[in-house]
Amino acid sequence: MNPEDLAGRLRGVLRTRTGGVAVALSGGIDSTVVAKAAFLELGDQAVAVTADSPSVPRAELTGAKEIAALIGIRHEVIATSEFANADYLRNGGDRCYHCKSELYDRVLEILPRLGVMTVCSGANLDDLGDYRPGLTAAAERNVFHPLQEAGFTKADVRAVAKWWNLPTWDKPASPCLSSRLAPGVAVTPERTAMIEHAETFLRSLGLNNGRVRLHEGELARIEVPLAEVARLAAPGVRETLSRTFHELGFRFVTLDLEGFRSGSLNDLVPLEMRTRHAPERRTTS
């Protein structure tokens, strides 16, 4: 399908939501495309809602505000309280379930004030092939997934975003800061701040698609594209990198020789937990 036809299909899916929608807008490309389609179809009956907590990078929050203004959609920023949930802080492998539960419950609470009836996510078909406890939370609350209903893969999302001239059409995925902590390592505002500052430093080196994973013992495991590994290991850069990370609070600084791998910490999630939150694959015609 060409991007114009794909966009039409997505708009058609949202057209059915005559009671209006609240789109959980993170500022990533998936939720951005849903917000754009919702605004085009529903106008004032579409609103974007963005969570704010210590797990949200300040740059992502700013980006979400900017993208909502660009689209023209109503936008609300709400404070979420996942850091008050002991199960979330424990980070036992289902952290995302508790985070999304908090987000969706908060949005559901304000639907009457917003004047809309449905909560929408940015989940696409590719998300069904990964470990996504947040989809369990969504299913329990009847959250609507327009991209899945329209049969969109991640590649389809990017194609439509580019066709719509959205500036983030090629933006790398940017999950929440808490997702960088290995399962079993407790989530704290201090640790998410360490990670945010560390990844900001990587971006200052021109590395826009890197991750800093935090393991037991305040060990930083840096993932960057394979082509960049040698540059970070070069003496001058390595010394600056190590010194900066130690100043941020990391006790050990390591460079992953396998390079950047999205969701690499999912390998550490216990099998029982992965089975409990295994997504149900869907097919579209």
Side-chain angles (χ1 to χ4, degrees):
M1 247 187 187
N2 64 50
E4 184 175 6
D5 290 339
L6 284 168
R9 177 188 282 185
L10 180 59
R11 292 182 61 169
V13 165
L14 283 155
R15 193 177 303 136
T16 66
R17 299 288 156 162
T18 54
V21 299
V23 180
L25 178 69
S26 66
I29 191 59
D30 299 309
S31 58
T32 294
V33 165
V34 173
K36 173 74 172 182
F39 178 70
L40 289 174
E41 280 303 317
L42 303 172
D44 288 341
Q45 282 298 96
V47 57
V49 181
T50 299
D52 184 15
S53 82
S55 188
V56 179
R58 299 301 89 187
E60 292 299 309
L61 181 59
T62 298
K65 293 176 180 178
E66 292 174 347
I67 202 69
L70 177 66
I71 292 170
I73 193 170
R74 280 194 292 155
H75 188 215
E76 295 232 359
V77 177
I78 59 172
T80 54
S81 303
E82 62 269 24
F83 277 69
N85 183 339
D87 290 326
Y88 175 87
L89 299 178
R90 190 176 299 115
N91 194 22
D94 59 350
R95 181 204 65 256
C96 190
Y97 169 82
H98 301 292
C99 177
K100 292 299 186 183
S101 294
E102 166 70 9
L103 169 62
Y104 295 140
D105 284 345
R106 294 283 181 176
V107 179
L108 286 167
E109 286 175 3
I110 65 173
L111 287 185
R113 176 171 65 79
L114 297 177
V116 299
M117 297 180 61
T118 302
V119 180
C120 292
S121 87
N124 63 65
L125 288 181
D126 290 347
D127 294 326
L128 297 176
D130 198 0
Y131 175 66
R132 300 277 179 168
L135 290 178
T136 303
E140 291 173 352
R141 292 159 177 80
N142 296 313
V143 172
F144 183 53
H145 308 302
L147 295 173
Q148 292 183 4
E149 291 294 325
F152 272 45
T153 63
K154 188 74 171 188
D156 294 328
V157 174
R158 292 198 183 280
V160 170
K162 186 176 183 180
W163 185 72
W164 272 338
N165 292 318
L166 293 172
T168 54
W169 72 268
D170 60 346
K171 178 183 177 182
S174 182
C176 77
L177 294 169
S178 297
S179 70
R180 319 293 206 266
L181 275 70
V185 177
V187 178
T188 67
E190 292 77 17
R191 283 174 168 157
T192 57
M194 284 167 57
I195 293 166
E196 180 171 14
H197 292 311
E199 293 192 349
T200 297
F201 176 72
L202 290 183
R203 285 193 294 274
S204 76
L205 299 178
L207 296 163
N208 294 321
N209 195 20
R211 292 284 188 276
V212 177
R213 315 288 191 189
L214 194 155
H215 292 259
E216 189 72 30
E218 309 309 304
L219 181 149
R221 177 169 59 86
I222 303 168
E223 292 182 9
V224 295
L226 281 173
E228 300 290 348
V229 169
R231 178 160 75 92
L232 287 193
V237 177
R238 177 183 58 76
E239 292 162 3
T240 302
L241 181 68
S242 179
R243 181 177 64 254
T244 300
F245 275 48
H246 282 301
E247 290 172 352
L248 290 174
F250 295 99
R251 294 179 62 194
F252 306 98
V253 184
T254 67
L255 180 59
D256 194 319
L257 299 183
E258 294 187 58
F260 172 73
R261 298 167 329 278
S262 181
S264 66
L265 287 176
N266 288 344
D267 294 339
L268 301 179
V269 176
L271 179 60
E272 182 273 335
M273 190 76 70
R274 293 176 64 88
T275 302
R276 183 189 310 170
H277 294 289
E280 178 182 350
R281 289 294 303 182
R282 298 188 51 174
T283 58
T284 58
S285 57

